[in-house]
Amino acid sequence: MAQVGATSPGREGGGSAPPTAARVGPAPAARAPADERRFALLGLRQDSDFALHFPLRYEDWTRLTRLAAARAGEPLQCDLRIRAVQPPTRTRQVCRLHTEDESGDTVHLSFFKVFPSQLAQWKPGQWLRVQGEVSHGLLGREMLHPVVRLLRAPGSAPARQLTPVYPATAGLSQYALRRAVQQALGRLHWPEPVGPQELSAALGVGELPAMITALRFVHEPPAGLDPQAIAQRSEPHALRIAVDELLAQQLSLQRARNRRESLTAPMIQRSDLAERARAGLPFQLTRAQERVLGEIRADLARDLPMHRLLQGDVGSGKTIVALLAALEAIGGRFQVALLAPTEILAEQHAAKWLPMLNALGARCAWLTGGLRAAEKRRIRAALEAHEIDLVLGTHAILESKVRFANLGLAIVDEQHRFGVAQRLSLRDKRSDGSDPHLLMMSATPIPRTLAMSYFSDLDVSVIDALPPGRTPVRTRLLQAARRPELIEAVRREALEGRQVYWVCPLIEESESLDLRHAEECAAQLSGLLAGIEVGLVHGRLPTADKQAVMQAFHQGRIRVLVATTVIEVGVDVPQASLMVIEHAERFGLAQLHQLRGRVGRGSASSQCVLLFGENLSDAAKARLKAVYEHQDGFEIARHDLRIRGPGEFLGLRQSGQSLLRFADLDREAPYLDTIRALAAQVLARTSSEDPAVPELIACWQGSAEDRLRA
Ligand code: ADP
Ligand code: MG
């Protein structure tokens, strides 16, 4: 991600650390250097990082217990007086203290390691505060390596608060962490662009505390509270912190968005090229397609760069919408780049749409990593000379060597397969300092709460209906042992003139093993299905071969196509009516839904068969159940989110986008709208920005390198 910052400094600084962050910045070096390094491993650098290092759980050391009341296996705290000391010897390393409490009940304390300095302080008559568990051994009561502290007199106040237990790292003591957190809380000035009263009023909840109060509460809850209850975060303090985080996130996203408004983009007017294309389509656009096309056109006509996500379930017809937008640009003498994550998908787009584009006079080219160097050079030169209107391809288009004479629109298909930095690098492809318009497409529907939270600086268009005439895909779950029956079904399907995908899974993340499995499977199927043409396609196949196989499948010369997950996205062969997925339990939910979406595109009734192995994990069962029960991508996405959590779901981990640390979108969902509006108000309030805004963002985004950029 560092690359993004380097190539476009200061643009979009959604999360770039503002200069004013110093106010909450690095703490004075009150900590031991060795600890300092360990803190850094936990991402703890500035005071706010410590304040936001939340406890895993709490221990209750607020009470003193008499030995007589001790229950085996429960941690307790008591004050004990040393009666006798049995120091370690050369042959016996254990140090024993014989102690008694105020009632005269006795207990032996055993230590496996004592420092001479400790030993020197342990004298008969000395009082100790002891924390540990009592067990019953040969000598009566005993405690094994308890935590002890010297005490002047028994019975003085024990801890006033519950004791937090923090996520730690090797060599870092809880004590050091607690102290560092306490010190940080003592110094911290938490920026509050919206005060607690205003916040409570806006959210319509009872009075919320100030952030610092809420943080203190979470780090040291008062005695008498049930540690479990605090861990469940039902206190207003927890709500305050969650709301603060969501507010910081909204402020950050909306700032990025506001900054984009100061950028410029070429204005693209309607052209009759797009109209002519439409007139020639063999179908009518659905109402949903018309609507989103209208939204895109309105964006293109403005001099601000479009930043739009086009969402629609598998098969909802996103591509034609994008192409019509592309034709508007081409008609206006702009260039267009269409990016796909795999060669197969790029090839599909080419095969399907190039005839139409060529017929309209658009000059198109194909650019992927697999081309010969001379060919790539030729295409690059043609792009710079504006001899090409539309370039279609894969990551190769992103290379910095690829420059355009006048790029107006960049389209990214299956955008979740690209990193944030990759998507953003498209914006640097204009030479006059303005930005091209950016249209991203995704078939992974994003639930509203997530979209609002993570993508609120994107405009979203949704195609919410499928084209007419689609037949729903019937989904079946089948035990792997019933594979022979299934092969018979495949035979029938093929003999009746329909086509079959047979997908082999990822095996232990090893591509070569995958491949072997897929090859064996293809060989086996063609042996069993005598007289039926079986093909094989996988990621390692040379481009030309891939194209040949896909074309043969398209034309029906290949009836059964064995594939690795390369066909996961976007492949469109309407005659295919049966999708078999082997070891379906190894696929992700979104992947299964995508794969299933490859069939049911024509008029024949279609089926998706999920073969599953033995010993399924609970998560795997949940996934299979969800695809079995639901057809709707949004419903599937909701389940996926539940099973995987937002980070995995959005693919954010790899893209370096920061995740929420405390807030829970499900629980906080009712407040999202208000928080979003509040953020907008705060940003609109004064002409020069309130310094508390960048400070707050810096607190929550921490010292972590990952910055939210798009
Ligand atoms: P996806 O949204 O999954 O990318 P595609 O763009 O691949 O979907 O479209 C799926 C199929 O539906 C394609 O064959 C496309 O030509 C066809 N299609 C798109 N729009 C319509 C429509 N309005 N009516 C009928 N078929 C359509
Ligand atoms: Mg598609």
Side-chain angles (χ1 to χ4, degrees):
M1 292 306 106
Q3 205 193 342
V4 185
T7 52
S8 51
R11 300 167 59 164
E12 286 283 307
S16 54
T20 41
R23 224 165 115 202
V24 287
R31 303 182 281 257
D35 280 349
E36 210 68 45
R37 274 195 304 280
R38 294 187 182 111
F39 287 141
L41 283 178
L42 293 171
L44 305 177
R45 292 185 185 86
Q46 55 191 20
D47 283 341
S48 55
D49 298 336
F50 285 87
L52 300 177
H53 190 59
F54 297 110
L56 288 170
R57 59 189 171 84
Y58 303 91
E59 285 172 355
D60 188 352
W61 298 123
T62 60
R63 276 176 305 238
L64 288 172
T65 311
R66 294 278 161 95
L67 283 174
R71 269 181 298 189
E74 272 183 22
L76 91 156
Q77 171 169 259
C78 53
D79 289 349
L80 301 169
R81 188 165 54 142
I82 301 178
R83 274 167 62 164
V85 181
Q86 212 181 72
T89 64
R90 213 164 265 148
T91 52
R92 190 177 46 88
Q93 288 185 335
V94 180
C95 171
R96 276 178 190 289
L97 297 182
H98 188 48
T99 64
E100 63 181 0
D101 70 6
E102 278 186 298
S103 325
D105 290 312
T106 64
V107 59
H108 283 95
L109 312 184
S110 302
F111 301 88
F112 300 111
K113 187 181 165 201
V114 283
F115 296 105
S117 57
Q118 262 179 318
L119 205 51
Q121 293 171 319
W122 290 348
K123 297 277 182 270
Q126 171 67 50
W127 282 94
L128 300 172
R129 168 131 325 145
V130 181
Q131 294 174 347
E133 272 177 33
V134 174
S135 56
H136 292 273
L138 281 177
L139 302 169
R141 281 193 202 91
E142 102 185 291
M143 289 172 93
L144 300 181
H145 44 86
V147 178
V148 301
R149 191 152 58 81
L150 298 182
L151 211 60
R152 278 217 193 88
S156 55
R160 261 188 273 268
Q161 293 98 3
L162 300 181
T163 306
V165 179
Y166 291 106
T169 180
L172 194 58
S173 71
Q174 286 294 324
Y175 175 75
L177 266 168
R178 274 178 213 139
R179 215 171 69 122
V181 170
Q182 284 314 308
Q183 287 170 345
L185 286 175
R187 279 188 299 257
L188 195 61
H189 157 85
W190 195 267
E192 293 192 320
V194 182
Q197 272 115 23
E198 190 188 346
L199 204 55
S200 321
L203 295 173
V205 293
E207 209 175 308
L208 289 175
M211 249 317 257
I212 191 71
T213 314
L215 288 168
R216 288 225 171 87
F217 179 92
V218 166
H219 287 287
E220 288 209 323
L225 286 178
D226 175 7
Q228 293 275 297
I230 308 165
Q232 281 161 12
R233 300 182 172 174
S234 49
E235 301 284 334
H237 301 88
L239 178 60
R240 174 68 179 90
I241 298 174
V243 164
D244 205 73
E245 176 167 35
L246 293 171
L247 181 66
Q249 186 191 40
Q250 284 303 321
L251 285 169
S252 161
L253 289 165
Q254 291 186 24
R255 255 166 116 229
R257 192 194 178 95
N258 292 348
R259 287 189 186 177
R260 198 166 58 245
E261 312 249 297
S262 67
L263 303 175
T264 57
M267 284 156 63
I268 298 176
Q269 308 297 348
R270 309 262 319 245
S271 78
D272 65 275
L273 196 60
E275 282 315 310
R276 286 194 350 244
R278 252 171 100 120
L281 286 178
F283 49 74
Q284 287 237 304
L285 293 189
T286 60
R287 288 244 302 275
Q289 284 171 315
E290 290 286 1
R291 176 172 40 75
V292 302
L293 184 59
E295 289 164 359
I296 293 167
R297 275 199 196 120
D299 281 358
L300 293 178
R302 301 204 303 163
D303 63 351
L304 300 178
M306 171 169 76
H307 200 58
R308 188 171 282 279
L309 178 65
L310 173 54
Q311 276 193 44
D313 206 345
V314 188
S316 61
K318 296 182 287 294
T319 319
I320 186 62
V321 171
L323 280 173
L324 290 173
L327 285 166
E328 303 279 12
I330 295 169
R333 308 235 169 284
F334 292 98
Q335 288 169 298
V336 175
L338 173 51
L339 222 74
T342 64
E343 279 194 16
I344 289 202
L345 184 51
E347 167 64 22
Q348 281 273 316
H349 284 327
K352 185 156 177 132
W353 302 108
L354 283 190
M356 173 185 101
L357 291 165
N358 289 332
L360 290 164
R363 297 162 298 174
C364 303
W366 160 260
L367 181 58
T368 65
L371 293 186
R372 276 206 214 95
E375 180 66 5
K376 284 190 203 161
R377 251 196 319 275
R378 195 185 64 74
I379 292 173
R380 286 202 302 269
L383 280 171
E384 282 196 67
H386 204 155
E387 288 157 14
I388 292 173
D389 300 310
L390 181 138
V391 63
L392 201 154
T394 56
H395 298 78
I397 295 177
L398 296 171
E399 285 173 26
S400 59
K401 276 184 289 190
V402 178
R403 284 184 291 265
F404 292 78
N406 189 13
L407 181 64
L409 170 65
I411 301 168
V412 183
D413 197 6
E414 308 294 341
Q415 59 93 27
H416 58 284
R417 301 276 298 256
F418 291 90
V420 176
Q422 292 178 319
R423 278 179 261 152
L424 290 182
S425 67
L426 282 165
R427 296 202 204 153
D428 297 325
K429 300 255 176 229
R430 276 188 71 80
S431 49
D432 64 353
S434 65
D435 286 34
H437 297 281
L438 197 55
L439 177 65
M440 294 170 274
M441 297 193 274
S442 170
T444 304
I446 300 164
R448 198 181 105 85
T449 49
L450 272 193
M452 279 180 64
S453 158
Y454 288 97
F455 292 114
S456 75
D457 77 324
L458 281 184
D459 296 304
V460 180
S461 291
V462 183
I463 302 184
D464 50 10
L466 293 179
R470 294 283 164 83
T471 44
V473 179
R474 204 150 63 85
T475 305
R476 288 174 58 201
L477 293 169
L478 205 65
Q479 266 170 350
R482 296 176 61 189
R483 207 162 173 267
E485 281 168 53
L486 179 60
I487 292 173
E488 281 318 299
V490 168
R491 183 201 307 281
R492 279 196 304 276
E493 207 71 10
L495 290 178
E496 283 169 24
R498 288 185 294 269
Q499 288 171 258
V500 180
Y501 291 102
W502 188 293
V503 178
C504 299
L506 265 172
I507 302 163
E508 294 162 15
E509 322 236 326
S510 145
E511 212 187 323
S512 53
L513 263 182
D514 267 10
L515 195 55
R516 184 134 45 87
H517 182 82
E519 277 165 352
E520 278 165 17
C521 178
Q524 189 206 27
L525 287 178
S526 59
L528 290 170
L529 299 170
I532 294 169
E533 196 60 38
V534 176
L536 171 65
V537 65
H538 55 77
R540 291 257 183 102
L541 216 55
T543 306
D545 296 5
K546 250 187 248 177
Q547 290 176 1
V549 175
M550 290 311 294
Q551 207 173 17
F553 188 58
H554 228 285
Q555 294 166 351
R557 282 183 282 120
I558 289 178
R559 289 278 163 197
V560 178
L561 182 66
V562 177
T564 54
T565 43
V566 289
I567 64 149
E568 178 195 332
V569 288
V571 177
D572 185 31
V573 179
Q575 319 83 275
S577 60
L578 175 59
M579 165 67 65
V580 177
I581 306 176
E582 268 203 272
H583 282 294
E585 75 274 9
R586 296 188 191 158
F587 289 89
L589 197 41
Q591 259 182 325
L592 290 173
H593 181 62
Q594 279 272 354
L595 284 170
R596 177 172 56 186
R598 300 303 116 216
V599 293
R601 297 185 158 226
S603 49
S605 85
S606 300
Q607 267 193 59
C608 173
V609 180
L610 307 174
L611 280 174
F612 59 92
E614 285 167 7
N615 303 326
L616 300 190
S617 69
D618 285 346
K621 277 185 204 150
R623 286 197 298 271
L624 293 181
K625 184 162 179 284
V627 246
Y628 177 69
E629 288 178 351
H630 302 284
Q631 288 275 339
D632 174 37
F634 275 87
E635 213 32 66
I636 300 253
R638 250 194 296 282
H639 280 83
D640 203 13
L641 176 61
R642 212 165 294 145
I643 298 170
R644 289 195 293 165
E648 299 290 335
F649 177 84
L650 294 174
L652 296 183
R653 290 208 202 295
Q654 68 209 11
S655 70
Q657 207 157 358
S658 49
L659 286 167
L660 294 170
R661 316 191 198 182
F662 191 88
D664 175 329
L665 286 178
D666 261 354
R667 203 182 39 202
E668 269 77 69
Y671 306 114
L672 277 178
D673 279 317
T674 311
I675 294 170
R676 192 143 82 142
L678 261 180
Q681 273 172 35
V682 169
L683 292 177
R685 227 171 242 174
T686 51
S687 52
S688 63
E689 189 178 63
D690 177 357
V693 169
E695 283 176 18
L696 180 66
I697 294 170
C699 283
W700 276 104
Q701 293 186 348
S703 349
E705 290 305 317
D706 51 339
R707 296 288 187 222
L708 194 60
R709 300 222 32 118

